[in-house]
Amino acid sequence: MSSTRLSKLLEFLESDPNDPFILYALATEYNNLNDKEKAYSFYLQLTDKHPDYVGTYYHLGKLQEKDGEKEKAIETYQKGMQVARNKRDMHAFSELQGAYNSAAGLDYEDD
């Protein structure tokens, strides 16, 4: 199933190489296939060419955390929170803030 989905996404990319949703879907698909190099490539294309595509930041940060790059992840979450705030996307902001708090060790648990 995954290879069929990946093939279809790559076809879509050929017809519209700058579509942020296609780039995001490919990044996510490669991430799910544990192809970190290609996932990073597409996530970084998004942050470079489509910096307002807010969904990128959460998943890129999670990949960076998984890769042991906590400081990069924290920076990614901070950038994403700024983008979400500018777009007034409070749901995305909240998710990014939660990820940031966790990465930065700011999780607070009720006793």
Side-chain angles (χ1 to χ4, degrees), residues 83-91:
V83 169
R85 185 179 294 121
N86 290 345
K87 293 184 80 167
R88 297 187 175 160
D89 185 340
M90 294 294 96
H91 178 75

Side-chain angles (χ1 to χ4, degrees), residues 2-33:
S2 292
S3 62
T4 304
R5 187 170 42 234
L6 182 59
S7 297
K8 202 62 155 161
L9 288 170
L10 290 169
E11 284 178 33
F12 292 148
L13 182 66
E14 280 186 36
S15 64
D16 195 353
N18 203 32
D19 183 300
F21 179 76
I22 295 169
L23 295 172
Y24 177 79
L26 278 163
T28 301
E29 189 65 23
Y30 280 120
N31 193 17
N32 291 339
L33 294 171

Side-chain angles (χ1 to χ4, degrees), residues 51-107:
D52 289 342
Y53 200 82
V54 73
T56 305
Y57 296 94
Y58 179 88
H59 295 285
L60 174 57
K62 286 296 182 184
L63 182 57
Q64 290 167 326
E65 276 192 83
K66 185 177 170 183
D67 227 13
E69 299 285 345
K70 187 187 284 193
E71 293 304 315
K72 281 185 182 179
I74 289 170
E75 290 175 21
T76 298
Y77 296 139
Q78 288 174 322
K79 173 68 176 161
M81 288 187 311
Q82 185 62 50
V83 169
R85 185 179 294 121
N86 290 345
K87 293 184 80 167
R88 297 187 175 160
D89 185 340
M90 294 294 96
H91 178 75
F93 179 86
S94 177
E95 287 184 341
L96 285 158
Q97 187 171 44
Y100 168 82
N101 288 348
S102 178
L106 301 174
D107 279 339

